[in-house]
Amino acid sequence: GQNIDQPTEMTATEGAIVQINCTYQTSGFNGLFWYQQHAGEAPTFLSYNVLDGLEEKGRFSSFLSRSKGYSYLLLKELQMKDSASYLCAVTRGGSYIPTFGRGTSLIVHP
Amino acid sequence: KAGVTQTPRYLIKTRGQQVTLSCSPISGHRSVSWYQQTPGQGLQFLFEYFSETQRNKGNFPGRFSGRQFSNSRSEMNVSTLELGDSALYLCASSYRGMNTEAFFGQGTRLTVV
């Protein structure tokens, strides 16, 4: 199977840090995407991790452990505009077809 | 540069009809992939076209088809529409393919009644 698991919903306070986890089955793994999708809008690319470790991009960081089938997206200094759905997607095999998780709805409150 | 453009934005069709959706990728991008997004199933891959050839296909019935033109614009067609085809259809373009950053269009919201 290609189950990708991420929490359905998370809430956090403005200015805080939140970590959104994503676990997946490791067979045939190529890489892992994180996308942000605001309600009624298109997904926008945040990161693509292929190698183990942490990649930082401004307030957002993404971590990958290939052997554990685990990734997280770390959002720092949360802002109200960060309220959105965060999608984890895994690519496998030679086709690189992405399989998406169901998304984590993040609610940032004052 | 201009983003990915999908037309139309909204569409209402009747069961049994067919529909064609259009996607214009970012200039220079040769890969166009299509996805269906529903509350129940999330985002699911339909197919990918690269340089006018279907390179990958997801697990959807043959009623779902697509094509890509020489200018990289792509269309997807759904025949014999069913109520369950109601969804947001998204296309994404990238320069090399699905293992690189993809840029999504705003989507076409299809409602089948």
Side-chain angles (χ1 to χ4, degrees), chain B residues 52-102:
Chain B
E52 302 180 65
T53 301
Q54 186 181 86
R55 193 157 69 169
N56 290 293
K57 190 177 191 306
N59 295 323
F60 278 81
R63 300 185 296 109
F64 292 81
S65 63
R67 58 179 176 168
Q68 187 179 34
F69 301 96
S70 58
N71 62 356
S72 291
R73 189 177 71 85
S74 178
E75 291 180 346
M76 71 163 275
N77 184 77
V78 189
S79 62
T80 320
L81 283 165
E82 301 176 0
L83 295 179
D85 297 333
S86 295
L88 180 66
Y89 289 89
L90 292 162
C91 84
S93 80
S94 62
Y95 178 68
R96 287 202 327 262
M98 294 186 295
N99 61 333
T100 58
E101 178 179 357

mmCIF file of all heavy atoms in Angstrom, chain B residues 52-102:
data_model
loop_
_atom_site.group_PDB
_atom_site.id
_atom_site.type_symbol
_atom_site.label_atom_id
_atom_site.label_comp_id
_atom_site.label_asym_id
_atom_site.label_seq_id
_atom_site.Cartn_x
_atom_site.Cartn_y
_atom_site.Cartn_z
ATOM 1 N N GLU B 52 3.639 16.305 -25.568
ATOM 2 C CA GLU B 52 2.507 15.770 -26.332
ATOM 3 C C GLU B 52 2.253 14.282 -26.127
ATOM 4 O O GLU B 52 1.370 13.714 -26.790
ATOM 5 C CB GLU B 52 2.668 16.059 -27.837
ATOM 6 C CG GLU B 52 2.786 17.537 -28.179
ATOM 7 C CD GLU B 52 2.947 17.785 -29.667
ATOM 8 O OE1 GLU B 52 1.993 17.469 -30.411
ATOM 9 O OE2 GLU B 52 4.026 18.245 -30.079
ATOM 10 N N THR B 53 2.973 13.653 -25.219
ATOM 11 C CA THR B 53 2.807 12.214 -24.983
ATOM 12 C C THR B 53 2.323 11.978 -23.555
ATOM 13 O O THR B 53 2.831 12.616 -22.622
ATOM 14 C CB THR B 53 4.141 11.480 -25.197
ATOM 15 O OG1 THR B 53 4.590 11.697 -26.531
ATOM 16 C CG2 THR B 53 3.975 9.978 -24.963
ATOM 17 N N GLN B 54 1.380 11.065 -23.410
ATOM 18 C CA GLN B 54 0.971 10.711 -22.057
ATOM 19 C C GLN B 54 2.071 9.872 -21.430
ATOM 20 O O GLN B 54 2.357 8.757 -21.875
ATOM 21 C CB GLN B 54 -0.340 9.914 -22.077
ATOM 22 C CG GLN B 54 -0.879 9.661 -20.661
ATOM 23 C CD GLN B 54 -2.167 8.860 -20.654
ATOM 24 O OE1 GLN B 54 -2.149 7.630 -20.672
ATOM 25 N NE2 GLN B 54 -3.292 9.556 -20.633
ATOM 26 N N ARG B 55 2.646 10.375 -20.368
ATOM 27 C CA ARG B 55 3.787 9.711 -19.776
ATOM 28 C C ARG B 55 3.391 8.836 -18.588
ATOM 29 O O ARG B 55 4.039 7.821 -18.326
ATOM 30 C CB ARG B 55 4.823 10.754 -19.354
ATOM 31 C CG ARG B 55 6.171 10.191 -19.007
ATOM 32 C CD ARG B 55 7.273 11.216 -19.146
ATOM 33 N NE ARG B 55 7.230 12.271 -18.160
ATOM 34 C CZ ARG B 55 8.224 13.143 -17.980
ATOM 35 N NH1 ARG B 55 9.309 13.058 -18.701
ATOM 36 N NH2 ARG B 55 8.113 14.112 -17.082
ATOM 37 N N ASN B 56 2.355 9.242 -17.890
ATOM 38 C CA ASN B 56 1.892 8.474 -16.742
ATOM 39 C C ASN B 56 0.382 8.576 -16.629
ATOM 40 O O ASN B 56 -0.208 9.580 -17.031
ATOM 41 C CB ASN B 56 2.514 9.004 -15.440
ATOM 42 C CG ASN B 56 3.986 8.714 -15.353
ATOM 43 O OD1 ASN B 56 4.402 7.573 -15.251
ATOM 44 N ND2 ASN B 56 4.799 9.763 -15.415
ATOM 45 N N LYS B 57 -0.205 7.550 -16.044
ATOM 46 C CA LYS B 57 -1.656 7.529 -15.902
ATOM 47 C C LYS B 57 -2.011 6.980 -14.528
ATOM 48 O O LYS B 57 -1.409 6.012 -14.064
ATOM 49 C CB LYS B 57 -2.293 6.659 -16.986
ATOM 50 C CG LYS B 57 -3.811 6.761 -17.070
ATOM 51 C CD LYS B 57 -4.326 5.933 -18.221
ATOM 52 C CE LYS B 57 -5.800 6.220 -18.507
ATOM 53 N NZ LYS B 57 -6.670 6.062 -17.334
ATOM 54 N N GLY B 58 -2.979 7.606 -13.889
ATOM 55 C CA GLY B 58 -3.447 7.147 -12.586
ATOM 56 C C GLY B 58 -4.556 6.119 -12.734
ATOM 57 O O GLY B 58 -4.872 5.663 -13.840
ATOM 58 N N ASN B 59 -5.149 5.762 -11.611
ATOM 59 C CA ASN B 59 -6.162 4.708 -11.593
ATOM 60 C C ASN B 59 -7.570 5.270 -11.754
ATOM 61 O O ASN B 59 -8.395 5.202 -10.843
ATOM 62 C CB ASN B 59 -6.067 3.916 -10.289
ATOM 63 C CG ASN B 59 -4.758 3.170 -10.180
ATOM 64 O OD1 ASN B 59 -4.252 2.658 -11.169
ATOM 65 N ND2 ASN B 59 -4.208 3.131 -8.987
ATOM 66 N N PHE B 60 -7.835 5.800 -12.896
ATOM 67 C CA PHE B 60 -9.165 6.320 -13.212
ATOM 68 C C PHE B 60 -9.684 5.577 -14.429
ATOM 69 O O PHE B 60 -8.915 5.103 -15.263
ATOM 70 C CB PHE B 60 -9.098 7.824 -13.494
ATOM 71 C CG PHE B 60 -9.102 8.669 -12.250
ATOM 72 C CD1 PHE B 60 -7.939 8.867 -11.532
ATOM 73 C CD2 PHE B 60 -10.281 9.241 -11.792
ATOM 74 C CE1 PHE B 60 -7.940 9.633 -10.364
ATOM 75 C CE2 PHE B 60 -10.294 10.012 -10.641
ATOM 76 C CZ PHE B 60 -9.125 10.210 -9.930
ATOM 77 N N PRO B 61 -11.016 5.478 -14.536
ATOM 78 C CA PRO B 61 -11.580 4.743 -15.687
ATOM 79 C C PRO B 61 -11.286 5.438 -17.010
ATOM 80 O O PRO B 61 -10.903 6.606 -17.054
ATOM 81 C CB PRO B 61 -13.091 4.740 -15.381
ATOM 82 C CG PRO B 61 -13.311 5.819 -14.392
ATOM 83 C CD PRO B 61 -12.053 5.940 -13.607
ATOM 84 N N GLY B 62 -11.500 4.693 -18.080
ATOM 85 C CA GLY B 62 -11.205 5.201 -19.413
ATOM 86 C C GLY B 62 -12.054 6.391 -19.837
ATOM 87 O O GLY B 62 -11.759 7.043 -20.841
ATOM 88 N N ARG B 63 -13.097 6.681 -19.055
ATOM 89 C CA ARG B 63 -13.912 7.877 -19.370
ATOM 90 C C ARG B 63 -13.100 9.162 -19.228
ATOM 91 O O ARG B 63 -13.468 10.204 -19.754
ATOM 92 C CB ARG B 63 -15.116 7.967 -18.413
ATOM 93 C CG ARG B 63 -16.066 6.798 -18.445
ATOM 94 C CD ARG B 63 -17.269 7.044 -17.559
ATOM 95 N NE ARG B 63 -16.940 7.175 -16.151
ATOM 96 C CZ ARG B 63 -17.001 8.321 -15.474
ATOM 97 N NH1 ARG B 63 -17.342 9.458 -16.081
ATOM 98 N NH2 ARG B 63 -16.719 8.348 -14.183
ATOM 99 N N PHE B 64 -12.024 9.060 -18.490
ATOM 100 C CA PHE B 64 -11.140 10.216 -18.294
ATOM 101 C C PHE B 64 -9.991 10.109 -19.300
ATOM 102 O O PHE B 64 -9.268 9.112 -19.324
ATOM 103 C CB PHE B 64 -10.573 10.218 -16.871
ATOM 104 C CG PHE B 64 -11.600 10.490 -15.813
ATOM 105 C CD1 PHE B 64 -12.435 9.475 -15.359
ATOM 106 C CD2 PHE B 64 -11.732 11.754 -15.266
ATOM 107 C CE1 PHE B 64 -13.389 9.719 -14.380
ATOM 108 C CE2 PHE B 64 -12.679 12.011 -14.279
ATOM 109 C CZ PHE B 64 -13.506 10.990 -13.841
ATOM 110 N N SER B 65 -9.850 11.111 -20.111
ATOM 111 C CA SER B 65 -8.782 11.108 -21.104
ATOM 112 C C SER B 65 -8.209 12.503 -21.228
ATOM 113 O O SER B 65 -8.785 13.475 -20.726
ATOM 114 C CB SER B 65 -9.304 10.626 -22.458
ATOM 115 O OG SER B 65 -10.296 11.516 -22.949
ATOM 116 N N GLY B 66 -7.114 12.599 -21.920
ATOM 117 C CA GLY B 66 -6.496 13.909 -22.076
ATOM 118 C C GLY B 66 -5.642 13.955 -23.314
ATOM 119 O O GLY B 66 -5.478 12.954 -24.038
ATOM 120 N N ARG B 67 -5.114 15.125 -23.575
ATOM 121 C CA ARG B 67 -4.154 15.284 -24.647
ATOM 122 C C ARG B 67 -3.363 16.546 -24.413
ATOM 123 O O ARG B 67 -3.775 17.416 -23.630
ATOM 124 C CB ARG B 67 -4.848 15.330 -26.013
ATOM 125 C CG ARG B 67 -5.867 16.424 -26.187
ATOM 126 C CD ARG B 67 -6.454 16.371 -27.586
ATOM 127 N NE ARG B 67 -7.522 17.347 -27.781
ATOM 128 C CZ ARG B 67 -8.035 17.666 -28.969
ATOM 129 N NH1 ARG B 67 -7.578 17.069 -30.054
ATOM 130 N NH2 ARG B 67 -9.009 18.543 -29.062
ATOM 131 N N GLN B 68 -2.253 16.632 -25.109
ATOM 132 C CA GLN B 68 -1.420 17.831 -25.018
ATOM 133 C C GLN B 68 -1.049 18.261 -26.418
ATOM 134 O O GLN B 68 -0.734 17.423 -27.276
ATOM 135 C CB GLN B 68 -0.166 17.561 -24.192
ATOM 136 C CG GLN B 68 0.666 18.809 -23.924
ATOM 137 C CD GLN B 68 1.899 18.516 -23.092
ATOM 138 O OE1 GLN B 68 2.500 17.456 -23.211
ATOM 139 N NE2 GLN B 68 2.296 19.465 -22.251
ATOM 140 N N PHE B 69 -1.074 19.542 -26.638
ATOM 141 C CA PHE B 69 -0.791 20.095 -27.947
ATOM 142 C C PHE B 69 0.677 20.518 -28.042
ATOM 143 O O PHE B 69 1.401 20.538 -27.045
ATOM 144 C CB PHE B 69 -1.721 21.280 -28.200
ATOM 145 C CG PHE B 69 -3.179 20.907 -28.139
ATOM 146 C CD1 PHE B 69 -3.907 21.094 -26.958
ATOM 147 C CD2 PHE B 69 -3.832 20.349 -29.229
ATOM 148 C CE1 PHE B 69 -5.240 20.741 -26.876
ATOM 149 C CE2 PHE B 69 -5.170 20.001 -29.155
ATOM 150 C CZ PHE B 69 -5.871 20.187 -27.984
ATOM 151 N N SER B 70 1.076 20.886 -29.247
ATOM 152 C CA SER B 70 2.482 21.225 -29.474
ATOM 153 C C SER B 70 2.927 22.451 -28.687
ATOM 154 O O SER B 70 4.115 22.621 -28.418
ATOM 155 C CB SER B 70 2.745 21.432 -30.964
ATOM 156 O OG SER B 70 1.915 22.451 -31.470
ATOM 157 N N ASN B 71 1.984 23.299 -28.306
ATOM 158 C CA ASN B 71 2.350 24.475 -27.501
ATOM 159 C C ASN B 71 2.272 24.185 -26.002
ATOM 160 O O ASN B 71 2.302 25.101 -25.183
ATOM 161 C CB ASN B 71 1.437 25.658 -27.844
ATOM 162 C CG ASN B 71 -0.032 25.376 -27.531
ATOM 163 O OD1 ASN B 71 -0.383 24.277 -27.125
ATOM 164 N ND2 ASN B 71 -0.880 26.368 -27.759
ATOM 165 N N SER B 72 2.160 22.901 -25.658
ATOM 166 C CA SER B 72 2.090 22.384 -24.286
ATOM 167 C C SER B 72 0.747 22.577 -23.605
ATOM 168 O O SER B 72 0.554 22.040 -22.510
ATOM 169 C CB SER B 72 3.200 22.964 -23.392
ATOM 170 O OG SER B 72 4.456 22.476 -23.793
ATOM 171 N N ARG B 73 -0.160 23.297 -24.206
ATOM 172 C CA ARG B 73 -1.492 23.398 -23.632
ATOM 173 C C ARG B 73 -2.106 22.005 -23.582
ATOM 174 O O ARG B 73 -1.842 21.155 -24.446
ATOM 175 C CB ARG B 73 -2.381 24.326 -24.455
ATOM 176 C CG ARG B 73 -3.728 24.641 -23.794
ATOM 177 C CD ARG B 73 -4.534 25.627 -24.650
ATOM 178 N NE ARG B 73 -5.038 25.038 -25.872
ATOM 179 C CZ ARG B 73 -6.175 24.352 -25.961
ATOM 180 N NH1 ARG B 73 -6.916 24.141 -24.876
ATOM 181 N NH2 ARG B 73 -6.555 23.864 -27.123
ATOM 182 N N SER B 74 -2.892 21.772 -22.558
ATOM 183 C CA SER B 74 -3.465 20.440 -22.384
ATOM 184 C C SER B 74 -4.971 20.527 -22.165
ATOM 185 O O SER B 74 -5.486 21.536 -21.655
ATOM 186 C CB SER B 74 -2.802 19.740 -21.192
ATOM 187 O OG SER B 74 -3.367 18.457 -20.966
ATOM 188 N N GLU B 75 -5.640 19.510 -22.562
ATOM 189 C CA GLU B 75 -7.071 19.367 -22.298
ATOM 190 C C GLU B 75 -7.320 18.017 -21.657
ATOM 191 O O GLU B 75 -6.615 17.043 -21.944
ATOM 192 C CB GLU B 75 -7.883 19.447 -23.600
ATOM 193 C CG GLU B 75 -7.917 20.801 -24.251
ATOM 194 C CD GLU B 75 -8.751 20.804 -25.530
ATOM 195 O OE1 GLU B 75 -9.079 19.707 -26.040
ATOM 196 O OE2 GLU B 75 -9.066 21.897 -26.004
ATOM 197 N N MET B 76 -8.316 17.980 -20.786
ATOM 198 C CA MET B 76 -8.795 16.693 -20.318
ATOM 199 C C MET B 76 -10.287 16.585 -20.595
ATOM 200 O O MET B 76 -11.008 17.593 -20.590
ATOM 201 C CB MET B 76 -8.484 16.437 -18.848
ATOM 202 C CG MET B 76 -9.262 17.236 -17.847
ATOM 203 S SD MET B 76 -9.161 16.479 -16.194
ATOM 204 C CE MET B 76 -10.484 15.292 -16.294
ATOM 205 N N ASN B 77 -10.697 15.401 -20.903
ATOM 206 C CA ASN B 77 -12.082 15.145 -21.274
ATOM 207 C C ASN B 77 -12.655 14.071 -20.352
ATOM 208 O O ASN B 77 -11.973 13.086 -20.020
ATOM 209 C CB ASN B 77 -12.147 14.674 -22.728
ATOM 210 C CG ASN B 77 -13.571 14.497 -23.196
ATOM 211 O OD1 ASN B 77 -14.263 15.463 -23.493
ATOM 212 N ND2 ASN B 77 -14.015 13.261 -23.256
ATOM 213 N N VAL B 78 -13.867 14.290 -19.926
ATOM 214 C CA VAL B 78 -14.572 13.264 -19.168
ATOM 215 C C VAL B 78 -15.865 12.972 -19.912
ATOM 216 O O VAL B 78 -16.668 13.898 -20.144
ATOM 217 C CB VAL B 78 -14.888 13.684 -17.732
ATOM 218 C CG1 VAL B 78 -15.430 12.495 -16.930
ATOM 219 C CG2 VAL B 78 -13.658 14.258 -17.049
ATOM 220 N N SER B 79 -16.051 11.732 -20.295
ATOM 221 C CA SER B 79 -17.264 11.363 -21.022
ATOM 222 C C SER B 79 -18.245 10.682 -20.068
ATOM 223 O O SER B 79 -17.866 10.215 -18.987
ATOM 224 C CB SER B 79 -16.924 10.428 -22.178
ATOM 225 O OG SER B 79 -16.357 9.235 -21.684
ATOM 226 N N THR B 80 -19.489 10.648 -20.485
ATOM 227 C CA THR B 80 -20.543 9.980 -19.723
ATOM 228 C C THR B 80 -20.451 10.325 -18.229
ATOM 229 O O THR B 80 -20.223 9.480 -17.363
ATOM 230 C CB THR B 80 -20.467 8.445 -19.902
ATOM 231 O OG1 THR B 80 -20.152 8.120 -21.250
ATOM 232 C CG2 THR B 80 -21.819 7.830 -19.559
ATOM 233 N N LEU B 81 -20.602 11.582 -17.964
ATOM 234 C CA LEU B 81 -20.415 12.082 -16.600
ATOM 235 C C LEU B 81 -21.318 11.383 -15.588
ATOM 236 O O LEU B 81 -22.481 11.075 -15.863
ATOM 237 C CB LEU B 81 -20.682 13.587 -16.569
ATOM 238 C CG LEU B 81 -19.565 14.467 -17.119
ATOM 239 C CD1 LEU B 81 -20.071 15.879 -17.373
ATOM 240 C CD2 LEU B 81 -18.376 14.475 -16.177
ATOM 241 N N GLU B 82 -20.728 11.171 -14.406
ATOM 242 C CA GLU B 82 -21.458 10.604 -13.278
ATOM 243 C C GLU B 82 -21.458 11.620 -12.141
ATOM 244 O O GLU B 82 -20.605 12.512 -12.094
ATOM 245 C CB GLU B 82 -20.782 9.305 -12.823
ATOM 246 C CG GLU B 82 -20.707 8.244 -13.890
ATOM 247 C CD GLU B 82 -19.944 7.003 -13.445
ATOM 248 O OE1 GLU B 82 -19.466 6.982 -12.292
ATOM 249 O OE2 GLU B 82 -19.842 6.045 -14.258
ATOM 250 N N LEU B 83 -22.421 11.447 -11.229
ATOM 251 C CA LEU B 83 -22.504 12.384 -10.107
ATOM 252 C C LEU B 83 -21.179 12.435 -9.331
ATOM 253 O O LEU B 83 -20.746 13.492 -8.869
ATOM 254 C CB LEU B 83 -23.644 11.986 -9.165
ATOM 255 C CG LEU B 83 -25.051 12.070 -9.724
ATOM 256 C CD1 LEU B 83 -26.065 11.620 -8.672
ATOM 257 C CD2 LEU B 83 -25.384 13.491 -10.197
ATOM 258 N N GLY B 84 -20.525 11.281 -9.228
ATOM 259 C CA GLY B 84 -19.270 11.185 -8.486
ATOM 260 C C GLY B 84 -18.101 11.900 -9.136
ATOM 261 O O GLY B 84 -17.032 12.000 -8.527
ATOM 262 N N ASP B 85 -18.296 12.381 -10.347
ATOM 263 C CA ASP B 85 -17.221 13.127 -11.018
ATOM 264 C C ASP B 85 -17.187 14.582 -10.562
ATOM 265 O O ASP B 85 -16.285 15.333 -10.946
ATOM 266 C CB ASP B 85 -17.415 13.072 -12.541
ATOM 267 C CG ASP B 85 -17.319 11.661 -13.089
ATOM 268 O OD1 ASP B 85 -16.627 10.821 -12.473
ATOM 269 O OD2 ASP B 85 -17.948 11.409 -14.140
ATOM 270 N N SER B 86 -18.160 14.977 -9.774
ATOM 271 C CA SER B 86 -18.157 16.344 -9.238
ATOM 272 C C SER B 86 -16.918 16.534 -8.378
ATOM 273 O O SER B 86 -16.691 15.793 -7.417
ATOM 274 C CB SER B 86 -19.409 16.590 -8.390
ATOM 275 O OG SER B 86 -20.570 16.528 -9.187
ATOM 276 N N ALA B 87 -16.119 17.502 -8.719
ATOM 277 C CA ALA B 87 -14.830 17.681 -8.041
ATOM 278 C C ALA B 87 -14.174 18.959 -8.538
ATOM 279 O O ALA B 87 -14.653 19.607 -9.467
ATOM 280 C CB ALA B 87 -13.902 16.495 -8.339
ATOM 281 N N LEU B 88 -13.068 19.278 -7.898
ATOM 282 C CA LEU B 88 -12.179 20.323 -8.387
ATOM 283 C C LEU B 88 -11.090 19.632 -9.206
ATOM 284 O O LEU B 88 -10.421 18.728 -8.699
ATOM 285 C CB LEU B 88 -11.563 21.089 -7.213
ATOM 286 C CG LEU B 88 -10.594 22.215 -7.581
ATOM 287 C CD1 LEU B 88 -11.314 23.349 -8.290
ATOM 288 C CD2 LEU B 88 -9.886 22.747 -6.321
ATOM 289 N N TYR B 89 -10.938 20.028 -10.448
ATOM 290 C CA TYR B 89 -9.922 19.447 -11.311
ATOM 291 C C TYR B 89 -8.780 20.457 -11.437
ATOM 292 O O TYR B 89 -8.974 21.583 -11.896
ATOM 293 C CB TYR B 89 -10.516 19.082 -12.674
ATOM 294 C CG TYR B 89 -11.446 17.897 -12.551
ATOM 295 C CD1 TYR B 89 -12.792 18.077 -12.268
ATOM 296 C CD2 TYR B 89 -10.956 16.592 -12.641
ATOM 297 C CE1 TYR B 89 -13.643 16.989 -12.102
ATOM 298 C CE2 TYR B 89 -11.796 15.502 -12.475
ATOM 299 C CZ TYR B 89 -13.133 15.714 -12.200
ATOM 300 O OH TYR B 89 -13.970 14.641 -12.026
ATOM 301 N N LEU B 90 -7.627 20.017 -11.031
ATOM 302 C CA LEU B 90 -6.447 20.872 -11.008
ATOM 303 C C LEU B 90 -5.435 20.390 -12.030
ATOM 304 O O LEU B 90 -5.245 19.185 -12.203
ATOM 305 C CB LEU B 90 -5.799 20.826 -9.626
ATOM 306 C CG LEU B 90 -6.590 21.449 -8.484
ATOM 307 C CD1 LEU B 90 -6.070 20.953 -7.132
ATOM 308 C CD2 LEU B 90 -6.483 22.968 -8.528
ATOM 309 N N CYS B 91 -4.799 21.320 -12.690
ATOM 310 C CA CYS B 91 -3.651 20.944 -13.491
ATOM 311 C C CYS B 91 -2.421 21.636 -12.926
ATOM 312 O O CYS B 91 -2.529 22.681 -12.267
ATOM 313 C CB CYS B 91 -3.848 21.249 -14.968
ATOM 314 S SG CYS B 91 -3.487 22.921 -15.481
ATOM 315 N N ALA B 92 -1.291 21.024 -13.158
ATOM 316 C CA ALA B 92 -0.027 21.556 -12.666
ATOM 317 C C ALA B 92 1.002 21.456 -13.771
ATOM 318 O O ALA B 92 1.022 20.471 -14.514
ATOM 319 C CB ALA B 92 0.437 20.793 -11.436
ATOM 320 N N SER B 93 1.839 22.459 -13.885
ATOM 321 C CA SER B 93 2.882 22.388 -14.893
ATOM 322 C C SER B 93 4.252 22.444 -14.236
ATOM 323 O O SER B 93 4.426 23.024 -13.160
ATOM 324 C CB SER B 93 2.734 23.505 -15.928
ATOM 325 O OG SER B 93 3.240 24.750 -15.479
ATOM 326 N N SER B 94 5.199 21.807 -14.885
ATOM 327 C CA SER B 94 6.579 21.865 -14.415
ATOM 328 C C SER B 94 7.486 21.768 -15.624
ATOM 329 O O SER B 94 7.068 21.339 -16.699
ATOM 330 C CB SER B 94 6.875 20.745 -13.416
ATOM 331 O OG SER B 94 6.719 19.483 -14.016
ATOM 332 N N TYR B 95 8.756 22.141 -15.408
ATOM 333 C CA TYR B 95 9.658 22.159 -16.562
ATOM 334 C C TYR B 95 10.048 20.754 -16.989
ATOM 335 O O TYR B 95 10.014 20.407 -18.162
ATOM 336 C CB TYR B 95 10.909 22.978 -16.222
ATOM 337 C CG TYR B 95 11.904 23.006 -17.352
ATOM 338 C CD1 TYR B 95 11.596 23.689 -18.525
ATOM 339 C CD2 TYR B 95 13.112 22.340 -17.264
ATOM 340 C CE1 TYR B 95 12.483 23.709 -19.585
ATOM 341 C CE2 TYR B 95 14.005 22.352 -18.312
ATOM 342 C CZ TYR B 95 13.696 23.035 -19.469
ATOM 343 O OH TYR B 95 14.573 23.045 -20.524
ATOM 344 N N ARG B 96 10.405 19.918 -15.999
ATOM 345 C CA ARG B 96 10.945 18.606 -16.343
ATOM 346 C C ARG B 96 10.017 17.450 -16.031
ATOM 347 O O ARG B 96 10.114 16.387 -16.634
ATOM 348 C CB ARG B 96 12.262 18.373 -15.620
ATOM 349 C CG ARG B 96 13.446 19.142 -16.133
ATOM 350 C CD ARG B 96 14.758 18.482 -15.737
ATOM 351 N NE ARG B 96 14.713 17.814 -14.448
ATOM 352 C CZ ARG B 96 15.150 18.339 -13.316
ATOM 353 N NH1 ARG B 96 15.642 19.555 -13.310
ATOM 354 N NH2 ARG B 96 15.075 17.678 -12.181
ATOM 355 N N GLY B 97 9.151 17.625 -15.040
ATOM 356 C CA GLY B 97 8.295 16.493 -14.691
ATOM 357 C C GLY B 97 7.914 16.518 -13.238
ATOM 358 O O GLY B 97 8.159 17.492 -12.519
ATOM 359 N N MET B 98 7.327 15.423 -12.790
ATOM 360 C CA MET B 98 6.689 15.412 -11.479
ATOM 361 C C MET B 98 7.665 15.256 -10.322
ATOM 362 O O MET B 98 7.230 15.237 -9.167
ATOM 363 C CB MET B 98 5.618 14.324 -11.456
ATOM 364 C CG MET B 98 4.472 14.626 -12.390
ATOM 365 S SD MET B 98 3.129 13.443 -12.251
ATOM 366 C CE MET B 98 3.949 11.956 -12.842
ATOM 367 N N ASN B 99 8.959 15.155 -10.601
ATOM 368 C CA ASN B 99 9.924 15.129 -9.507
ATOM 369 C C ASN B 99 10.559 16.490 -9.295
ATOM 370 O O ASN B 99 11.631 16.614 -8.713
ATOM 371 C CB ASN B 99 11.002 14.085 -9.773
ATOM 372 C CG ASN B 99 11.770 14.387 -11.047
ATOM 373 O OD1 ASN B 99 11.226 15.024 -11.959
ATOM 374 N ND2 ASN B 99 13.005 13.954 -11.124
ATOM 375 N N THR B 100 9.888 17.493 -9.794
ATOM 376 C CA THR B 100 10.341 18.862 -9.614
ATOM 377 C C THR B 100 9.166 19.719 -9.160
ATOM 378 O O THR B 100 8.016 19.274 -9.185
ATOM 379 C CB THR B 100 10.922 19.451 -10.902
ATOM 380 O OG1 THR B 100 9.919 19.381 -11.931
ATOM 381 C CG2 THR B 100 12.136 18.664 -11.368
ATOM 382 N N GLU B 101 9.471 20.944 -8.779
ATOM 383 C CA GLU B 101 8.431 21.852 -8.311
ATOM 384 C C GLU B 101 7.350 22.015 -9.362
ATOM 385 O O GLU B 101 7.630 22.243 -10.540
ATOM 386 C CB GLU B 101 9.040 23.219 -7.993
ATOM 387 C CG GLU B 101 8.042 24.259 -7.536
ATOM 388 C CD GLU B 101 8.697 25.590 -7.203
ATOM 389 O OE1 GLU B 101 9.945 25.674 -7.274
ATOM 390 O OE2 GLU B 101 7.971 26.537 -6.877
ATOM 391 N N ALA B 102 6.119 21.855 -8.944
ATOM 392 C CA ALA B 102 4.984 22.016 -9.847
ATOM 393 C C ALA B 102 4.189 23.255 -9.467
ATOM 394 O O ALA B 102 4.089 23.617 -8.299
ATOM 395 C CB ALA B 102 4.082 20.778 -9.788
#
